[in-house]
Amino acid sequence: MARWLVTGGCGFIGSNFILGLLLKRREDRVVNLDSLTYAGNPENLASIEKDPRYKFVHGDIRDTDTVARILGEGVDYVVNFAAESHVDRSILDSGPFIATNVQGVQVMLDAARKHGKLSKFVQVSTDEVYGSLGPEGRFTETSPLAPNSPYSASKAAADLLVRSYFKTFGLPAVVTRCSNNYGPYQFPEKLIPLFVTNAMQDLPLPLYGDGKNVRDWIHVSDHCSALMLAAEKGVPGEVYNIGGGNERTNIEITGMILRALRKPESLIKPVKDRPAHDRRYAIDDSKIRASLGMKPQVDFEQGISETVRWYAGNRKWWERVKTGEYREYYRKQYGSEPDRL
Ligand code: NAD
Ligand code: DAU
């Protein structure tokens, strides 16, 4: 029986991780520490709310006392998902990104060091710390860090803090750097859920620039399986890239979504490009495949159709999410109401 502290477990990847973990490790226990920002939604975990193996703590990773108290109750693995995660929001206001993604990680690392009994601390990072690629090549774990957005800069800062806590204090920590995730429960500010839900509402799909930026997509369940491997088998001090091997341009993704929903291409609305928009991400994840046996299971075409079906079948979930603060963000980001053509 292992005890896990998952932070940010009410967000997209964190909630998928907790649901998967409780299915795969029947004896394990999970504490979920989440401050419930706009992106945190306890509904994602409604199915396990009453499971005695699961406990929710409403709190902030920057709160030293809360983090120390949870660790003091007994934790073997920490998986730190908690973050501000959206590039466009980091361009509008970088403050919360430094607060959670840098200071929050420092608090978590310090508490973990003082706790002194962890088997592993997993820092969930991103391929965006490597910056942008030209048409050739892939990121490896030794590619230089060259972040281009306040979001990716804050994640790179955290990666370096983790490295320093391993080197200085011997904290048994690993960093994982994954490519773009897709799947159920993703907040509809990110490309795939935004375009799927807008298309279902016959609203424009705001495609940045020429639509030819490339992302390397992975199903969230494959990312979560890789994170379990990193926690249970990862070697302290190591960095592990995680990718799906599904490089696609944004216009290709948009076409897949429109075809799946039988919607017209006239919904595509080219808009001003994102500043410092990374052109291409591609991941060399041969290290985690060879050393920890990671192997993505979800076929991309099938994963996308299932994801589109999930949003079609869970309209109430995203209609609720697309209210309140979301509307304000949408106006700032796109200069239009989220429900107007
Ligand atoms: P998300 O925005 O959906 O969820 C973030 C969660 O963290 C929310 O539940 C939020 O309430 C919580 N949170 C934010 N600040 C907090 C704080 N100070 N204290 C406690 N909880 C807080 O994010 P996501 O897409 O699930 O990403 C999770 C992690 O994975 C992030 O660290 C992100 O950088 C990383 N990542 C994401 C992707 C992707 O494609 N989404 C890819 C690679 C890595
Ligand atoms: O690569 C991993 C990263 O993937 C994670 O670290 C981030 O947390 C996650 O948000 C994601 O970052 P991206 O910036 O790549 O994801 P996003 O969904 O915002 O954008 C994907 C691509 O789609 C990108 O090239 C920008 C484009 N895009 C996005 C939005 C929101 C559009 O063309 N229009 C849009 O409205």
Side-chain angles (χ1 to χ4, degrees):
M1 192 272 280
R3 296 155 303 177
W4 299 71
L5 167 57
V6 172
T7 68
C10 293
F12 163 48
I13 308 176
S15 56
N16 278 283
F17 181 83
I18 293 175
L19 293 171
L21 179 75
L22 289 176
L23 274 180
K24 289 180 186 161
R25 299 282 181 274
R26 307 298 309 178
E27 303 299 315
D28 289 6
R29 301 268 182 280
V30 183
V31 176
N32 171 16
L33 173 63
D34 198 303
S35 63
L36 300 180
T37 66
Y38 77 90
N41 187 347
E43 267 182 56
N44 302 359
L45 296 169
S47 62
I48 52 142
E49 218 171 39
K50 298 205 169 72
D51 190 318
R53 299 171 299 158
Y54 172 72
K55 181 176 160 193
F56 174 62
V57 177
H58 185 191
D60 198 301
I61 61 163
R62 287 168 295 164
D63 180 348
T64 307
D65 292 344
T66 303
V67 176
R69 179 175 49 77
I70 298 171
L71 291 175
E73 286 165 6
V75 170
D76 303 299
Y77 301 112
V78 171
V79 187
N80 185 39
F81 291 98
E84 290 294 334
S85 67
H86 192 37
V87 172
D88 292 324
R89 286 185 192 252
S90 79
I91 296 168
L92 292 172
D93 178 10
S94 62
F97 288 74
I98 305 306
T100 289
N101 301 3
V102 185
Q103 196 203 337
V105 172
Q106 182 268 327
V107 170
M108 292 291 304
L109 290 168
D110 235 25
R113 168 175 81 85
K114 287 175 187 151
H115 172 60
K117 294 177 201 139
L118 282 187
S119 298
K120 204 75 49 67
F121 184 107
V122 180
Q123 171 62 11
V124 183
S125 187
T126 168
D127 61 353
E128 296 201 9
V129 297
Y130 298 121
S132 186
L133 286 168
E136 302 297 325
R138 292 187 292 166
F139 298 127
T140 70
E141 287 83 357
T142 55
S143 298
L145 299 189
N148 293 317
S149 71
Y151 161 70
S152 51
S154 69
K155 295 295 289 186
D159 289 11
L160 295 179
L161 275 175
V162 174
R163 175 191 156 89
S164 77
Y165 272 69
F166 167 71
K167 293 276 184 189
T168 310
F169 305 111
L171 185 78
V174 297
V175 170
T176 60
R177 296 188 179 135
C178 188
S179 57
N180 288 61
N181 286 219
Y182 69 97
Y185 301 113
Q186 188 167 28
F187 195 86
E189 64 190 353
K190 308 282 166 53
L191 179 76
I192 290 181
L194 173 67
F195 280 20
V196 169
T197 57
N198 274 16
M200 283 198 274
Q201 293 174 301
D202 294 311
L203 293 169
L205 313 185
L207 189 64
Y208 296 159
D210 64 3
K212 292 188 183 149
N213 299 64
V214 173
R215 296 293 182 264
D216 174 354
W217 295 93
I218 181 170
H219 192 271
V220 63
S221 61
D222 284 326
H223 183 193
C224 291
S225 303
L227 289 171
M228 281 180 65
L229 287 173
E232 293 173 340
K233 296 190 187 160
V235 176
E238 293 296 317
V239 173
Y240 296 99
N241 280 354
I242 303 169
N246 299 300
E247 278 187 61
R248 298 287 189 284
T249 61
N250 295 334
I251 190 77
E252 284 170 334
I253 297 289
T254 308
M256 290 174 80
I257 293 170
L258 289 173
R259 283 192 296 281
L261 290 168
R262 294 173 206 276
K263 296 286 183 178
E265 287 195 358
S266 55
L267 284 179
I268 301 172
K269 182 182 171 196
V271 295
K272 209 167 109 228
D273 210 353
R274 172 186 279 176
H277 192 176
D278 289 336
R279 191 62 173 170
R280 175 171 165 261
Y281 302 147
I283 290 284
D284 179 342
D285 60 2
S286 45
K287 177 175 168 180
I288 193 167
R289 286 177 187 250
S291 60
L292 306 185
M294 180 254 181
K295 196 169 181 288
Q297 302 293 319
V298 181
D299 169 77
F300 186 59
E301 311 284 327
Q302 202 182 324
I304 288 286
S305 338
E306 278 170 18
T307 300
V308 170
R309 271 204 300 281
W310 187 87
Y311 286 95
N314 288 275
R315 207 173 167 114
K316 277 206 181 111
W317 180 89
W318 57 262
E319 277 180 348
R320 244 194 317 275
V321 170
K322 282 179 125 180
T323 58
E325 188 274 348
Y326 182 85
R327 300 179 66 82
E328 201 186 308
Y329 162 72
Y330 204 95
R331 276 193 293 272
K332 267 197 222 150
Q333 179 60 24
Y334 299 104
S336 64
E337 295 296 324
D339 48 11
R340 211 164 285 160
L341 269 173

